Each structure stands twice: as C-alpha cells, then as structure tokens.
Amino acid sequence: MKFSASKKAAGLLCSLLLAAPAANATPLNPSDFASLGAFFGDVTIDTSLLTVNGSSGVSYSQGGLMPDIAVFTFANGSSLGNVTVTGDRAVALLFQGSGTISGEINVSGGDGLDNNGSGIGVAAGAQGGLGGPFNSGINPDTGKTFGAGDGLGGGVLASSSASTSGAGSGSGGGFGTAGGSGGAGTTFRPGGLAYGGFLADGLFAGSGGAGGGGYCCGGLIGRGGGGGAGGGAIEIGALNSLNIIDALITANGGDGGNGARGGGGGSGGGIFLHAYDININAGTMISANGGKGGSLSSARGGCGGAGRISLLHNSAGSLNNEGSISAVAGTGSGVCSPENIVSFATGADIGSPPSSSVPEPPMLLLLMLGLVGLIRKSQVA
C-alpha cells in the first residue's frame, strides 16, 4: 500500500488557495463541545438540520472559503456502526475519550446522469454541472454557469454546438490533484484546479465535474452527460484512542454521465482523522478517490482529481494502520495524476493519553473488602 501529498487570473487564484491560512483551523477539540452522551450502533445524521438520531449538534464556522461543519460529540466509549449522512454542511464526529467506528460512512458525491442531470453532493461536496446544450444560464446560488462544476476546483464548462462534431466533453473537478481536461482541439477545456493542503489547516470538500457538451437543432438534440459531484468532507476525532474496525469510510467523487458527450468526474473529498492514538485494522478501507469521466464513443469526460486524506496523532502516541487508504484521481481524458494524496503528521498537543481502566491498588483493595462483606452478609441471612 502506497501513501503520500492559461491565464494570470487562474494562476493567481491557485496561489491564493494554496497559501491562504485557515481562519479557524481544525482539528476540533472534543473537549470544546458539549457531549450528546454515549451512542452505540447505527446513527443517522442530517448536517443541514444538525441532528443525530433526534439529538442536536452544533454548527462550527471555519471562516473564509471553507465550509461550515456540523459537529456531533459523543461520550467516552461510544461505538458507532453505520453512519448515514445527509445535508449540506461538512460533518465532524468527536469522542470525549476513546471512540470506535465499525460500520460504513459514505459522503461520496453523486454520479452525473446520462440525460444531462448533474451529480448532487453531500457533506459540503460540490454539485456537478448540467450537460449541454441548454446549460449556459447563470446559477444564482453560485454565480457559475449551470454547466460548470461547482466548488473551488470545479470543472470548466464544456462546449455545445448545433452540430454533432462541435460538442466537447466536460473536464473533471480538482482538489488534491487537478481534474483532467475535457474536449479536444477547439473544444479543449482545462480541468479544475487543485487547492487546499493538510486538512488540519482547514477541512475542505471536493469539487464537481463539468457537464458534457450537447448539440441541437435541425431536428436533432443530443444531451451531454452531467458532471459528477465532489466528495464530501468528514472529520473524526477522539481525545484518547480512535479505533476504526472493519469500517468503510468513503468520500469519493461521482462519475460523469455518458450522454452525447461525457461529463467530467467529481474530485474526491476530504477525510481527516485525529486522536492521541489511532488504530485502524486490516478490515478497514478509507478512500477519497476521484470519479471517472463519462464515456460515450471518443468524447470522454475528464477524470476527477484525487481528494485528500490526513491522519494526525500525538507525537507521544501511536498510529497502528493495517487498513487500505486511498486518495487517487479517477480515470478519464486529460492528465490524471497517479499520486496518492494521503498525509501523516504528529503534534504534541493532540488529545491526551488514555487513562488506565485498572483501579489503583488502594481502590482495588477497598472493592475486594466490600465484596467480602457482601458475601458474609448473604451467608448470615
């Protein structure tokens, strides 16, 4: 298993995104939030309504261009199974002590549709673009054209045409790596830009791929495939030990739709794990991979760029990882980087060592004496 990390306006934007510090950086400290109590088994989370199984979490603002985070904090010893996530905010699962994840958590972006519908994101993952040819209007919520992928590294709008030969495919969304380009020749469209960095400096989500171009008129209408949505953003942190056992945690980008011309894949999202000790067993898979570019004939959409995965533990603690961890670009047109964007770091102020569950000798002696007293009373009775 391997681990890792045009125009002047575009270059300047890229530099700003890479260099800008976070206003309120993660990791989030579990002790800073009120506990919802001990939770066990499957839970359902709505990050828009800030609810988990009927209990209420809180919204945390990172500031700047980063998404707000829906924070849910659990008591020491909580153990979560399958975690179903809906809603627009990024999500954080925090444990005030040690915590366990042993089920599936899926915040992957939705696939683009073949008939020009765009992929829909969750947990701050950005929406894909609509396929052509009728996608040139401006989305009032984002200020982008409906055909372009949303997000900081959204894929660039594909070209449409009145003829079948003039339409191009959509480019992929970028995040950990740039998205793949779409189209060719005069219909060439660059992939979305890479942005962000180590997720402890700010929790970002993935960007959407652009919709594929279409053609119309003369009695013919060919609709381009919709762009895949970007993977969402999730942070999982424990004050003491974070144990991830036989879990499947995914923040993959959605695939581009096929259609008349392929839509671009969405980029992978962000997964951030932190604790004093982190333990990941061999049955666990964690991924933030880019989506595939949509494919129909030779007009394939651009690959979705890799997401980002970051692991952070205390420098006096430990990281025991036997699982599979992957954040690579999808497949599709353009240059699709093979780099695995997985990063590891330590910090002296991350969490605190787990307290011993074995009582101290004086306390153990008192417990034994009390037990003996109970036995004698029962015998007398």
Side-chain angles (χ1 to χ4, degrees), residues 1-5 176-177 197-199 271 288-289 306-311 319 321 325-329 337-345:
M1 178 174 53
K2 296 181 179 179
F3 296 110
S4 50
T177 62
F198 187 62
L199 297 179
I271 300 176
N289 300 325
R308 294 183 183 275
I309 299 176
S310 297
L311 293 88
L319 169 64
N321 174 39
I325 304 180
S326 174
V328 297
S337 172
E339 186 178 5
N340 196 17
I341 311 298
V342 179
S343 51
F344 301 84

Short mmCIF file of all heavy atoms in Angstrom, two decimals, residues 1-5 176-177 197-199 271 288-289 306-311 319 321 325-329 337-345:
data_model
loop_
_atom_site.label_atom_id
_atom_site.label_comp_id
_atom_site.label_asym_id
_atom_site.label_seq_id
_atom_site.Cartn_x
_atom_site.Cartn_y
_atom_site.Cartn_z
N MET A 1 0.84 -1.18 0.00
CA MET A 1 0.00 0.00 0.00
C MET A 1 0.88 1.24 0.00
O MET A 1 1.81 1.37 0.78
CB MET A 1 -0.89 -0.01 1.24
CG MET A 1 -1.78 1.19 1.38
SD MET A 1 -2.92 0.99 2.77
CE MET A 1 -1.77 0.60 4.09
N LYS A 2 0.57 2.15 -0.91
CA LYS A 2 1.37 3.35 -1.04
C LYS A 2 0.68 4.51 -0.34
O LYS A 2 -0.53 4.64 -0.33
CB LYS A 2 1.56 3.69 -2.52
CG LYS A 2 2.34 2.63 -3.29
CD LYS A 2 2.49 3.05 -4.73
CE LYS A 2 3.28 2.02 -5.52
NZ LYS A 2 3.42 2.38 -6.93
N PHE A 3 1.51 5.42 0.19
CA PHE A 3 0.96 6.59 0.86
C PHE A 3 1.59 7.85 0.22
O PHE A 3 2.66 7.84 -0.34
CB PHE A 3 1.29 6.56 2.36
CG PHE A 3 0.68 5.41 3.09
CD1 PHE A 3 1.47 4.39 3.56
CD2 PHE A 3 -0.68 5.37 3.30
CE1 PHE A 3 0.91 3.34 4.25
CE2 PHE A 3 -1.25 4.34 3.99
CZ PHE A 3 -0.45 3.32 4.46
N SER A 4 0.92 8.93 0.51
CA SER A 4 1.52 10.18 0.18
C SER A 4 1.03 11.31 1.09
O SER A 4 0.10 11.12 1.76
CB SER A 4 1.20 10.54 -1.27
OG SER A 4 -0.15 10.44 -1.51
N ALA A 5 1.14 13.24 -0.74
CA ALA A 5 0.74 14.60 -0.57
C ALA A 5 0.45 14.89 -2.02
O ALA A 5 0.57 14.42 -2.62
CB ALA A 5 1.66 15.56 -0.05
N GLY A 176 -7.28 17.50 -4.41
CA GLY A 176 -5.92 17.09 -4.07
C GLY A 176 -4.99 17.13 -5.26
O GLY A 176 -3.80 17.42 -5.14
N THR A 177 -5.52 16.80 -6.43
CA THR A 177 -4.82 16.97 -7.71
C THR A 177 -5.78 17.66 -8.66
O THR A 177 -6.99 17.71 -8.42
CB THR A 177 -4.37 15.62 -8.32
OG1 THR A 177 -5.53 14.82 -8.59
CG2 THR A 177 -3.45 14.87 -7.37
N GLY A 197 -4.73 21.88 1.39
CA GLY A 197 -3.50 21.24 1.85
C GLY A 197 -3.83 20.25 2.95
O GLY A 197 -4.91 19.66 2.96
N PHE A 198 -2.91 20.10 3.90
CA PHE A 198 -3.14 19.19 5.04
C PHE A 198 -4.42 19.61 5.74
O PHE A 198 -4.61 20.77 6.07
CB PHE A 198 -1.94 19.26 5.98
CG PHE A 198 -1.97 18.26 7.11
CD1 PHE A 198 -1.97 16.91 6.84
CD2 PHE A 198 -2.00 18.69 8.42
CE1 PHE A 198 -2.00 15.98 7.88
CE2 PHE A 198 -2.03 17.77 9.47
CZ PHE A 198 -2.03 16.41 9.19
N LEU A 199 -5.34 18.68 5.98
CA LEU A 199 -6.68 19.02 6.44
C LEU A 199 -6.73 19.58 7.85
O LEU A 199 -7.75 20.13 8.26
CB LEU A 199 -7.60 17.81 6.31
CG LEU A 199 -7.79 17.30 4.87
CD1 LEU A 199 -8.70 16.08 4.86
CD2 LEU A 199 -8.35 18.39 3.97
N ILE A 271 -11.08 13.59 4.10
CA ILE A 271 -11.27 12.74 5.27
C ILE A 271 -10.13 13.04 6.24
O ILE A 271 -8.95 12.88 5.89
CB ILE A 271 -11.27 11.25 4.90
CG1 ILE A 271 -12.41 10.94 3.92
CG2 ILE A 271 -11.40 10.38 6.15
CD1 ILE A 271 -12.41 9.50 3.42
N ALA A 288 -10.89 8.48 -0.78
CA ALA A 288 -11.37 9.78 -1.27
C ALA A 288 -10.88 9.91 -2.71
O ALA A 288 -10.13 10.83 -3.06
CB ALA A 288 -10.85 10.91 -0.39
N ASN A 289 -11.30 8.97 -3.54
CA ASN A 289 -10.83 8.90 -4.93
C ASN A 289 -11.68 9.76 -5.86
O ASN A 289 -12.87 9.97 -5.61
CB ASN A 289 -10.85 7.45 -5.42
CG ASN A 289 -9.98 6.53 -4.60
OD1 ASN A 289 -8.92 6.94 -4.13
ND2 ASN A 289 -10.40 5.29 -4.43
N ALA A 306 -7.89 13.66 -7.37
CA ALA A 306 -7.86 12.98 -6.07
C ALA A 306 -8.41 13.90 -4.98
O ALA A 306 -8.34 15.13 -5.08
CB ALA A 306 -6.43 12.58 -5.72
N GLY A 307 -8.94 13.30 -3.94
CA GLY A 307 -9.30 14.04 -2.75
C GLY A 307 -8.09 14.18 -1.84
O GLY A 307 -6.95 14.11 -2.28
N ARG A 308 -8.34 14.37 -0.56
CA ARG A 308 -7.26 14.46 0.43
C ARG A 308 -7.65 13.68 1.68
O ARG A 308 -8.79 13.76 2.15
CB ARG A 308 -6.98 15.92 0.81
CG ARG A 308 -6.42 16.78 -0.30
CD ARG A 308 -6.12 18.19 0.19
NE ARG A 308 -5.65 19.06 -0.87
CZ ARG A 308 -4.39 19.15 -1.29
NH1 ARG A 308 -3.45 18.41 -0.69
NH2 ARG A 308 -4.05 19.97 -2.25
N ILE A 309 -6.70 12.92 2.23
CA ILE A 309 -6.88 12.21 3.48
C ILE A 309 -5.71 12.57 4.40
O ILE A 309 -4.55 12.48 3.98
CB ILE A 309 -6.94 10.68 3.28
CG1 ILE A 309 -8.13 10.31 2.37
CG2 ILE A 309 -7.05 9.96 4.62
CD1 ILE A 309 -8.21 8.84 2.05
N SER A 310 -6.02 12.99 5.61
CA SER A 310 -4.99 13.37 6.57
C SER A 310 -5.20 12.63 7.89
O SER A 310 -6.34 12.50 8.36
CB SER A 310 -5.02 14.88 6.84
OG SER A 310 -4.73 15.62 5.68
N LEU A 311 -4.10 12.13 8.47
CA LEU A 311 -4.13 11.47 9.77
C LEU A 311 -3.16 12.20 10.70
O LEU A 311 -2.01 12.45 10.33
CB LEU A 311 -3.75 10.00 9.66
CG LEU A 311 -4.73 9.09 8.90
CD1 LEU A 311 -4.42 9.09 7.42
CD2 LEU A 311 -4.67 7.66 9.44
N LEU A 319 0.30 5.41 15.89
CA LEU A 319 -0.55 5.14 14.74
C LEU A 319 -0.33 3.69 14.34
O LEU A 319 0.78 3.31 13.95
CB LEU A 319 -0.20 6.07 13.57
CG LEU A 319 -0.85 5.69 12.22
CD1 LEU A 319 -2.36 5.80 12.30
CD2 LEU A 319 -0.30 6.57 11.09
N ASN A 321 -1.72 1.27 11.68
CA ASN A 321 -2.55 1.23 10.49
C ASN A 321 -2.28 -0.03 9.68
O ASN A 321 -1.18 -0.23 9.17
CB ASN A 321 -2.32 2.45 9.60
CG ASN A 321 -3.07 2.34 8.29
OD1 ASN A 321 -4.20 1.87 8.25
ND2 ASN A 321 -2.44 2.76 7.22
N ILE A 325 -5.81 2.74 2.51
CA ILE A 325 -6.13 4.17 2.47
C ILE A 325 -5.77 4.71 1.10
O ILE A 325 -4.61 4.61 0.68
CB ILE A 325 -5.39 4.94 3.58
CG1 ILE A 325 -5.69 4.34 4.95
CG2 ILE A 325 -5.78 6.41 3.55
CD1 ILE A 325 -5.00 5.05 6.09
N SER A 326 -6.74 5.31 0.41
CA SER A 326 -6.51 5.70 -0.98
C SER A 326 -7.18 7.03 -1.30
O SER A 326 -8.37 7.22 -1.02
CB SER A 326 -7.06 4.61 -1.91
OG SER A 326 -6.99 5.01 -3.26
N ALA A 327 -6.41 7.95 -1.91
CA ALA A 327 -6.94 9.21 -2.42
C ALA A 327 -6.23 9.47 -3.75
O ALA A 327 -5.20 10.15 -3.80
CB ALA A 327 -6.72 10.35 -1.44
N VAL A 328 -6.75 8.89 -4.82
CA VAL A 328 -6.14 9.00 -6.15
C VAL A 328 -7.17 9.52 -7.14
O VAL A 328 -8.38 9.48 -6.89
CB VAL A 328 -5.59 7.63 -6.63
CG1 VAL A 328 -4.48 7.13 -5.72
CG2 VAL A 328 -6.70 6.60 -6.73
N ALA A 329 -6.68 10.02 -8.27
CA ALA A 329 -7.56 10.53 -9.31
C ALA A 329 -8.33 9.39 -9.97
O ALA A 329 -7.90 8.22 -9.95
CB ALA A 329 -6.75 11.29 -10.35
N SER A 337 -3.24 12.44 -12.50
CA SER A 337 -2.08 12.17 -11.66
C SER A 337 -2.25 10.85 -10.90
O SER A 337 -3.32 10.57 -10.35
CB SER A 337 -1.88 13.30 -10.66
OG SER A 337 -0.88 12.96 -9.70
N PRO A 338 -1.17 10.04 -10.83
CA PRO A 338 -1.24 8.79 -10.07
C PRO A 338 -0.95 8.97 -8.58
O PRO A 338 -0.98 8.01 -7.82
CB PRO A 338 -0.14 7.95 -10.73
CG PRO A 338 0.89 8.96 -11.15
CD PRO A 338 0.09 10.18 -11.58
N GLU A 339 -0.66 10.19 -8.14
CA GLU A 339 -0.25 10.43 -6.76
C GLU A 339 -1.36 10.10 -5.77
O GLU A 339 -2.53 10.44 -6.00
CB GLU A 339 0.19 11.88 -6.58
CG GLU A 339 0.77 12.19 -5.21
CD GLU A 339 1.24 13.63 -5.08
OE1 GLU A 339 1.03 14.41 -6.03
OE2 GLU A 339 1.80 13.96 -4.03
N ASN A 340 -0.99 9.45 -4.67
CA ASN A 340 -1.93 9.15 -3.59
C ASN A 340 -1.82 10.26 -2.55
O ASN A 340 -0.80 10.38 -1.87
CB ASN A 340 -1.58 7.79 -2.98
CG ASN A 340 -2.69 7.22 -2.13
OD1 ASN A 340 -3.83 7.64 -2.22
ND2 ASN A 340 -2.37 6.24 -1.30
N ILE A 341 -2.86 11.07 -2.40
CA ILE A 341 -2.79 12.26 -1.54
C ILE A 341 -3.21 11.90 -0.12
O ILE A 341 -4.28 12.28 0.37
CB ILE A 341 -3.63 13.40 -2.12
CG1 ILE A 341 -3.32 13.62 -3.58
CG2 ILE A 341 -3.36 14.69 -1.33
CD1 ILE A 341 -1.87 14.03 -3.86
N VAL A 342 -2.37 11.13 0.55
CA VAL A 342 -2.59 10.74 1.94
C VAL A 342 -1.41 11.25 2.75
O VAL A 342 -0.25 11.00 2.40
CB VAL A 342 -2.69 9.21 2.08
CG1 VAL A 342 -2.89 8.81 3.54
CG2 VAL A 342 -3.85 8.67 1.24
N SER A 343 -1.67 11.99 3.80
CA SER A 343 -0.60 12.59 4.58
C SER A 343 -0.73 12.22 6.05
O SER A 343 -1.83 12.02 6.58
CB SER A 343 -0.61 14.12 4.42
OG SER A 343 -1.90 14.64 4.66
N PHE A 344 0.43 12.13 6.72
CA PHE A 344 0.52 11.74 8.12
C PHE A 344 1.30 12.79 8.88
O PHE A 344 2.27 13.34 8.35
CB PHE A 344 1.22 10.38 8.26
CG PHE A 344 0.55 9.26 7.53
CD1 PHE A 344 0.80 9.04 6.19
CD2 PHE A 344 -0.36 8.43 8.18
CE1 PHE A 344 0.19 8.01 5.50
CE2 PHE A 344 -0.98 7.40 7.51
CZ PHE A 344 -0.71 7.19 6.17
N ALA A 345 0.90 13.08 10.11
CA ALA A 345 1.62 14.07 10.92
C ALA A 345 1.40 13.77 12.40
O ALA A 345 0.48 13.03 12.78
CB ALA A 345 1.16 15.49 10.59
#
